[in-house]
Amino acid sequence: MPQRTEIRLAGAGGQGLILAGVILAEAAGLHEGKFVAQTQSYGPEARGGASKAEVVISDAAIDYPKAIKPDVLLCLSQQACETYLFDLQPEGVLIVDSSLVRHLPTSRALGLPFTQIARKEVGREMMANIVALGALAVLTGVVSPDSLEKALLARAPKGTEELNQKALAAGVQAARTLLRQKHPRAGAPADTGEGG
Amino acid sequence: MPQRTEIRLAGAGGQGLILAGVILAEAAGLHEGKFVAQTQSYGPEARGGASKAEVVISDAAIDYPKAIKPDVLLCLSQQACETYLFDLQPEGVLIVDSSLVRHLPTSRALGLPFTQIARKEVGREMMANIVALGALAVLTGVVSPDSLEKALLARAPKGTEELNQKALAAGVQAARTLLRQKHPRAGAPADTGEGG
């Protein structure tokens, strides 16, 4: 069976989720040799400023390019959490912007304050989408941060490359710190290990 | 039967076809109340710098979001023409950038020099994608130039709004002129009509 991974990025219009979907798709498709389909839908269901982008990554050609039951769900708004959580695979990964999603719908959620990190580390709240992408790569392993950076630099408007790199690195860093807190041994440097 | 229209935008990487697909989808989905799905695929088939974005517009919810047999094909490269023409509906509309596609694969093709227009009218070759969108709206009627302009302005990076509007208007204008040449009476002002 080919390995098929479905990722849904959900939030409000203007949060840059479509661009995030395109970058994630190009990272996996152009830089990691995977088959990738990237979609977004509009129409009556998109009213109220909701926005959603989906990426399907596979080892084999993709028949149906939309997410059926996502393995990864990124939510940048409370409403997105409430709308899409029911769809997530039972063992799926839920990642939320904890600056915006106040009521975590499950204790399994991985929360990081992407918007706050973007403001503090990059000086631009609107780069929360890129911070989130960096964190998603680390928390899910669907793509490497290096491939993501290549895809990001190819899409970044001229003059914004450095800010984008900073945003991505901040997301990667925040996710690694979160993983260390959850699994204290996993990321600990050797010299702080047992017997230290 | 719901009306389903499939549009494929094809060319080389870097020509802005994905952004064009997103803008076209948002014009129809957010500003004309249609159901719309927008996709792009990457992977082994995307090698060689080819790029393709698809938009499906429908009166009803969309089951399968990719183009099966496009009604409209926009080609911004010779290779795109050669790769995708076979797929076009028999009565489909083929639009090509005649500055880049030297060998028209069929006499039915509607050719306009989008890249040349972008350079001459806007001073930016890279806005050929927006010029092409404006022309596509006029030549196919899948979306109105007004909706396209709203969607475009919502996606244009700050400071580029005016250039983008100019590019869109240049495409609309060029297409109207082309239609008048093909159907001299259609666009003629009343005072040059019969008996004038």
Side-chain angles (χ1 to χ4, degrees), chain A residues 3 8 45 56 68-69 76 115 119 133 135-136 145 159 192 195:
Chain A
Q3 175 80 23
R8 180 175 284 156
E45 78 273 27
V56 176
I68 300 158
K69 203 135 178 67
L76 297 193
T115 303
R119 187 173 52 233
L133 269 188
L136 186 146
T192 63

Side-chain angles (χ1 to χ4, degrees), chain A residues 18 22 25-26 29-30 33-47 62-66 155, chain B residues 18 22 25-26 29-30 33-47 62-66 155:
Chain A
I18 292 172
V22 167
E26 294 186 346
L30 303 180
K34 300 288 180 64
F35 288 85
V36 181
Q38 196 276 313
T39 61
Q40 39 266 345
S41 303
Y42 306 87
E45 78 273 27
R47 282 197 193 135
I62 293 169
D63 286 332
Y64 188 71
K66 287 175 82 165
R155 283 274 160 211
Chain B
I18 292 172
V22 167
E26 294 186 346
L30 303 180
K34 300 289 180 64
F35 288 85
V36 181
Q38 196 275 313
T39 60
Q40 37 266 345
S41 303
Y42 306 88
E45 77 272 29
R47 284 197 193 135
I62 293 169
D63 286 332
Y64 188 71
K66 286 174 82 165
R155 284 274 159 210

Side-chain angles (χ1 to χ4, degrees), chain B residues 27 31-32 137 143-153 168 172 176:
Chain B
H31 301 293
E32 301 197 348
V143 75
S144 78
D146 278 1
S147 300
L148 217 41
E149 186 175 26
K150 282 184 204 151
L152 174 62
L153 291 178
L168 190 69
V172 167
R176 286 184 178 148

Side-chain angles (χ1 to χ4, degrees), chain B residues 97-180:
Chain B
D97 185 331
S98 56
S99 5
L100 303 173
V101 177
R102 297 301 182 173
H103 305 285
L104 290 187
T106 155
S107 58
R108 291 196 300 111
L110 298 170
L112 282 169
F114 301 124
T115 303
Q116 198 180 314
I117 292 170
R119 186 173 52 233
K120 278 175 66 176
E121 305 287 326
V122 197
R124 307 261 175 116
E125 281 201 1
M126 59 174 287
M127 288 201 170
N129 60 337
I130 306 302
V131 177
L133 269 188
L136 186 147
V138 171
L139 298 175
T140 66
V142 294
V143 75
S144 78
D146 278 1
S147 300
L148 217 41
E149 186 175 26
K150 282 184 204 151
L152 174 62
L153 291 178
R155 284 274 159 210
K158 249 189 194 158
T160 69
E161 292 89 345
E162 214 170 309
L163 281 178
N164 272 290
Q165 275 175 305
K166 217 170 156 180
L168 190 69
V172 167
Q173 190 50 50
R176 286 184 178 148
T177 303
L178 180 69
L179 285 185
R180 267 201 297 274

